[in-house]
Amino acid sequence: MKFLAISLIVHAPHPITGELVSTRERFRRLLADAELAEDLGFDGFGVGERHERPFVSSSPPVVLSHIAARTSRIRLFTAVTTLSLLDPVRAYEDYATLDNLSDGRLDLIIGKGNGSAQRELFDVTTEDQWDRNIESYELFRRLWREPKVTWSGRFRPDLHEAETWPRPLQQPVRIWHGSATSRQSVDLAARYGEPLFSANVTNPIEPYAELVRHYRERWEHYGHDPALVTVGAGTAGFFTRRNSQDALAEYRPVFEANLRFQRRLGLPIVFETFDDYVQRSSALIGSPEQIIDKVHKYHEQLGHSVLHLHADAGGLTQRQHADSLALFQSDIAPVLRREIPDPPFAWAPVVPDPTSDPVHPRIPEASASR
């Protein structure tokens, strides 16, 4: 099993103290979280894309490029790239540049995105967002693979023998399809034989497990090898201590503060109590043994080989957060790595073949998206 640390770069008052740091300080903490994740042995670090409050994650290529310069091993993920909002040519240029700057450490998780503010900024409607996502993805996918592209569609000007630069290092980049509630993303992933990343955060497991089952059915419908199905899954929260009682006692104030914040905003509440949240959500709160057991229970329904944890401290202190992540890597990750298989593809950065075309370098077939 592989492990990611992911941040949506929320920039909001601290849920307990009410302190709001500067935007510059928020980014500084994110960079420190990325360096910590690499130092602890996480396999990937992801940055979300949002274009509305309370997030400052509107420019993932810029943020990930800075993280690439301060790290050397960890793979860099988008979580997610909102192709329904973006010009696929410009998105290709940004991410092909990042792919070269990071020595081929880039993975993309794509999705349509959400939120009325985002749609209004980019003139995207609820009626056309899925069509935009699919069309943008199909062009983006061709741009990554073909040096010249002729193309026509509904939402951007046509292309005729268009060349895009720079050419990427990875041929091709691995693209995951982010899925929360809809079958459109699931079907798109299955159609192209590409991995699925289940949000698995807001609700209990049942709707996510249903979508993963649908993904597997569609995967086989499109004629792909069932052994190559790859699923990642998120978590609603994470905190561990060697003693379960300590973990619960320290995390309870964080949950209760976040619950008050959600109620003030009028957001729907899925888990009304801390006990319900610990039991029925995907949150991993407790001793290492309890967390290992819960991941296995989720794996029984999702069959996932990649798991993400939140990279941010949230309502925890930085010390609590760092100690918890360190305990995850020392006592939890080694067990899960032994007991749950890795994804069925190479994970290491690309090493270009010096004898290949310097303009269009290739990567070993095992590393490519399928």
Side-chain angles (χ1 to χ4, degrees):
M1 190 172 223
K2 299 293 187 183
F3 303 101
L4 314 182
I6 285 183
S7 173
L8 299 181
I9 326 183
V10 175
H11 186 222
H14 189 284
I16 297 175
T17 68
E19 177 193 15
L20 179 65
V21 302
S22 68
T23 302
R24 176 178 178 274
E25 174 63 16
R26 181 66 189 89
F27 281 124
R28 189 194 69 77
R29 293 182 183 182
L30 176 80
L31 296 172
D33 288 334
E35 291 176 311
L36 175 65
E38 175 162 276
D39 290 344
L40 289 175
F42 278 84
D43 302 293
F45 190 88
V47 170
E49 180 177 336
R50 296 289 189 276
H51 299 272
E52 59 188 336
R53 275 193 277 177
F55 308 99
V56 288
S57 51
S58 58
S59 187
V62 176
V63 175
L64 287 171
S65 290
H66 200 67
I67 292 172
R70 294 176 61 158
T71 59
S72 61
R73 176 197 58 79
I74 199 165
R75 288 197 69 83
L76 307 172
F77 280 72
T78 63
V80 298
T81 297
T82 53
L83 281 180
S84 64
L85 308 179
L86 305 178
D87 176 1
V89 174
R90 190 71 182 102
Y92 162 81
E93 292 172 336
D94 285 342
Y95 285 113
T97 300
L98 172 56
D99 192 46
N100 280 278
L101 290 172
S102 66
D103 295 328
R105 288 189 280 146
L106 177 64
D107 274 59
L108 292 170
I109 307 177
I110 68 157
K112 72 169 179 62
N114 52 39
S116 59
Q118 297 184 98
R119 291 193 294 268
E120 290 167 4
L121 281 174
F122 294 93
D123 193 27
V124 174
T125 69
T126 54
E127 290 75 25
D128 68 21
Q129 60 186 347
W130 283 112
D131 290 339
R132 286 178 179 272
N133 184 62
I134 292 170
E135 180 179 292
S136 293
Y137 169 65
E138 290 175 342
L139 175 56
F140 182 92
R141 193 174 191 274
R142 288 189 60 192
L143 292 169
W144 204 279
R145 288 164 169 77
E146 302 172 29
K148 293 184 179 181
V149 172
T150 296
W151 174 90
S152 63
R154 291 174 54 196
F155 301 109
R156 75 165 324 278
D158 295 349
L159 300 175
H160 179 72
E161 291 292 292
E163 298 184 14
T164 45
W165 298 94
R167 298 310 300 160
L169 181 58
Q170 295 184 90
Q171 291 282 0
V173 69
R174 184 160 51 241
I175 296 178
W176 304 67
H177 295 254
S179 166
T181 59
S182 68
R183 292 193 169 197
Q184 287 95 327
S185 293
V186 167
D187 191 79
L188 190 64
R191 186 189 318 168
Y192 285 102
E194 293 172 334
L196 183 75
F197 214 106
S198 173
N200 192 42
V201 168
T202 306
N203 298 297
I205 192 172
E206 288 78 12
Y208 305 114
E210 180 182 350
L211 283 174
V212 169
R213 287 192 293 271
H214 181 67
Y215 169 63
R216 294 177 186 276
E217 292 166 2
R218 299 304 292 170
W219 180 280
E220 295 195 42
H221 168 81
Y222 288 116
H224 303 301
D225 183 351
L228 299 178
V229 165
T230 306
V231 176
T235 56
F238 167 73
F239 186 65
T240 187
R241 284 283 188 253
R242 295 196 180 279
N243 182 290
S244 173
Q245 288 75 19
D246 292 339
L248 295 171
E250 291 181 51
Y251 199 83
R252 184 182 293 273
V254 177
F255 169 83
E256 292 175 347
N258 285 325
L259 185 63
R260 290 192 295 271
F261 179 73
Q262 291 171 357
R263 285 179 170 149
R264 283 199 302 272
L265 294 180
L267 299 175
I269 305 300
V270 178
F271 305 106
E272 294 278 356
T273 68
F274 182 54
D275 290 342
D276 188 38
Y277 171 75
V278 171
Q279 292 299 318
R280 292 198 307 123
S281 83
S282 62
L284 303 174
I285 314 295
S287 68
E289 294 78 11
Q290 289 173 316
I291 288 173
I292 290 167
D293 181 62
K294 190 167 187 178
V295 172
H296 271 289
K297 289 178 179 177
Y298 269 71
H299 179 72
E300 289 172 5
Q301 296 200 51
L302 301 178
H304 56 313
S305 55
V306 179
L307 178 73
H308 93 49
L309 305 178
H310 291 285
D312 308 317
L316 300 167
T317 67
Q318 290 296 322
R319 184 73 269 160
Q320 285 174 313
H321 179 58
D323 288 348
S324 180
L325 292 178
L327 185 56
F328 178 88
Q329 286 294 351
S330 65
D331 286 36
I332 299 170
V335 177
L336 294 175
R337 290 187 196 279
R338 288 195 306 269
E339 296 177 350
I340 297 177
D342 280 347
F345 44 69
W347 194 271
V350 173
V351 179
D353 180 354
T355 65
S356 69
D357 179 352
V359 177
H360 307 112
R362 297 180 179 179
I363 62 175
E365 184 63 26
S367 300
S369 303
R370 299 184 183 270

